[in-house]
Amino acid sequence: MQTDRSATHPPRSTAPGLLYARPGIVVTAERFTVGRTSWPVAEITQLRTARGPHDRLAVRAVAGTAALIASAGLLLGFTGGLQRLTAGAYLTLGAVGLLPLLLVLVGDRWRPPAYELWGRIRGTEELLFTSDDERQFGQVADALRQARERARHDGRTDPPGTGPWRPAR
């Protein structure tokens, strides 16, 4: 029985300098290409990763639920209804008050924010890559970091062990 290695392992480099290749994403020692946009690796600086914004539907659900709970609390407070409530009713109100927090946790698990890879190119910060798949994102980010290391060391895979040269004083 033959297994599909592409599902569990990053692709092997067949061409020199090829670090990652999937449909629409190619990382070589010289270029980083996502879709129709391509950047020279040597010009990419200050790489950083981030998480994208929360899902709009989840944000709206949390905001709407919090607004309803706050308005119900204000209505009970102004009408004097809070004085007539039993201990069980207060516990229920407290549990309902935690509903927005529960919605945030469920929303982030159900539709998590995307992973984003940002970099500075010619002085401008740009979103280079975004993905919902954490594993794919990690592979692309690692390949781009490796390409930057190669570009920094002029294509050598192993930097010299002596460190940078400094003149004697």
Side-chain angles (χ1 to χ4, degrees):
M1 184 168 139
Q2 189 175 9
T3 60
D4 182 20
R5 288 183 45 83
S6 65
T8 58
H9 298 288
R12 294 182 186 251
S13 297
T14 56
L18 181 64
L19 300 171
Y20 185 88
R22 288 279 195 259
I25 308 163
V26 177
V27 181
T28 67
E30 294 83 29
R31 297 203 69 78
F32 177 49
T33 304
V34 177
R36 295 178 186 232
T37 308
S38 184
W39 299 277
V41 170
E43 292 182 11
I44 300 172
T45 60
Q46 297 178 5
L47 275 183
R48 71 176 177 89
T49 59
R51 294 298 297 266
H54 295 282
D55 183 62
R56 290 182 193 153
L57 179 63
V59 169
R60 289 179 185 151
V62 169
T65 305
L68 284 174
I69 291 170
S71 62
L74 284 172
L75 183 66
L76 284 173
F78 282 124
T79 59
L82 288 175
Q83 297 170 357
R84 293 186 292 258
L85 293 179
T86 64
Y90 275 110
L91 286 174
T92 303
L93 281 175
V96 169
L98 293 176
L99 188 61
L101 177 63
L102 180 65
L103 283 173
V104 166
L105 295 175
V106 169
D108 273 354
R109 179 157 307 252
W110 182 42
R111 296 178 76 167
Y115 297 91
E116 297 178 343
L117 182 63
W118 291 83
R120 191 166 288 278
I121 299 172
R122 295 183 208 108
T124 304
E125 190 170 43
E126 290 190 35
L127 177 62
L128 303 173
F129 177 68
T130 182
S131 176
D132 292 336
D133 184 1
E134 182 180 9
R135 199 167 142 274
Q136 178 192 36
F137 179 81
Q139 290 173 352
V140 170
D142 289 344
L144 184 56
R145 285 188 183 102
Q146 189 177 14
R148 288 185 60 228
E149 281 295 316
R150 286 186 184 181
R152 186 178 321 167
H153 298 297
D154 298 322
R156 296 186 308 258
T157 55
D158 294 324
T162 59
W165 178 83
R166 293 201 174 121
R169 294 185 183 198

